[in-house]
Amino acid sequence: MGSVLVGAGLGKVAAVLMAVGMGWGLRFRVSQDAHAWRLGAKGERRTARILARLGRDGFVAFHDLAVPGSPANVDHLVIGPTGVFVIDSKLYRGTVRVGFDGRLWYGGRSLDRVLGTLWWEAQQVADALAVGPEIRVYPVLCMHEARLPWREELTIDGIPVVAGSALYLALRVPRQPLTPAQVASLCGQVRAGFHPAV
């Protein structure tokens, strides 16, 4: 009899706790924007880990930089012996494909805006660095977890689109070879002219 009462008491406590938990979950449900932000942050952390491996090869990576004079931010800016790269990280769960129109699609959504923004960010970085026409800034779209119909790299609108697993090798391909002195000079300009995004 006593054990039945204890069991019933625990059942009541568990029911109350479950009701409170469900109410709390409904009250503080994660918004779609917050969920997208969390996925984006997770993708950025994965890219940062990949870029850290390039440090021993003379590359320097900067993360989450505010674009001067703009509320926008650059996920990753990489400067190394193969060139200067602005990398946008995405964590997409699903299939990314190229349509018959030559555009990049994620589910039923065109990624035109993502690519356009990435080009714009690369141009802003080039302008802020005042590197002149002799140094190019290359935009790269890096995708984690997405199912991609290509193995390593696909170029859409002049932007390489790579899986996270292919990023390390993609950045080692020379786009515009830089000397160690050029790398150091450009990194100095980034440290002087850019600040972490808030």
Side-chain angles (χ1 to χ4, degrees):
M1 188 75 159
S3 63
V4 172
L5 289 175
V6 170
L10 286 177
K12 287 179 184 176
V13 169
V16 169
L17 288 176
M18 191 161 69
V20 169
M22 287 174 62
W24 185 267
L26 290 173
R27 171 72 175 90
F28 297 102
R29 180 175 287 155
V30 177
S31 71
Q32 209 170 11
D33 288 342
H35 180 67
W37 182 87
R38 284 182 185 167
L39 287 179
K42 186 176 179 182
E44 288 179 32
R45 287 192 300 273
R46 287 187 182 184
T47 300
R49 284 194 295 272
I50 295 165
L51 298 177
R53 294 171 44 208
L54 288 165
R56 62 179 174 252
D57 299 319
F59 289 81
V60 179
F62 301 90
H63 308 285
D64 203 22
L65 297 175
V67 174
S70 165
N73 75 297
V74 170
D75 289 350
H76 315 276
L77 172 58
V78 178
I79 302 171
T82 60
V84 179
F85 305 90
V86 168
I87 303 169
D88 189 14
S89 296
K90 297 294 182 195
L91 195 150
Y92 287 152
R93 293 180 172 144
T95 301
V96 175
R97 63 182 174 79
V98 179
F100 293 115
D101 53 5
R103 296 160 65 197
L104 196 61
W105 293 84
Y106 171 54
R109 181 169 63 106
S110 162
L111 296 181
D112 289 351
R113 185 173 176 190
V114 169
L115 296 173
T117 299
L118 184 50
W119 262 121
W120 179 84
E121 289 173 359
Q123 185 58 56
Q124 298 309 301
V125 168
D127 292 347
L129 291 177
V131 293
E134 70 279 359
I135 301 283
R136 286 199 58 199
V137 176
Y138 294 89
V140 177
L141 181 57
C142 176
M143 296 190 174
H144 299 279
E145 293 193 17
R147 289 186 301 278
L148 305 176
W150 56 92
R151 287 193 174 272
E152 295 183 9
E153 181 179 311
L154 174 74
T155 301
I156 299 285
D157 294 337
I159 297 177
V161 181
V162 299
S165 59
L167 181 63
Y168 178 84
L169 292 177
L171 294 181
R172 292 177 57 87
V173 173
R175 312 283 174 165
Q176 182 179 30
L178 300 176
T179 66
Q182 287 174 308
V183 170
S185 173
L186 290 167
C187 288
Q189 290 183 57
V190 171
R191 291 184 183 103
F194 288 81
H195 304 287
V198 179

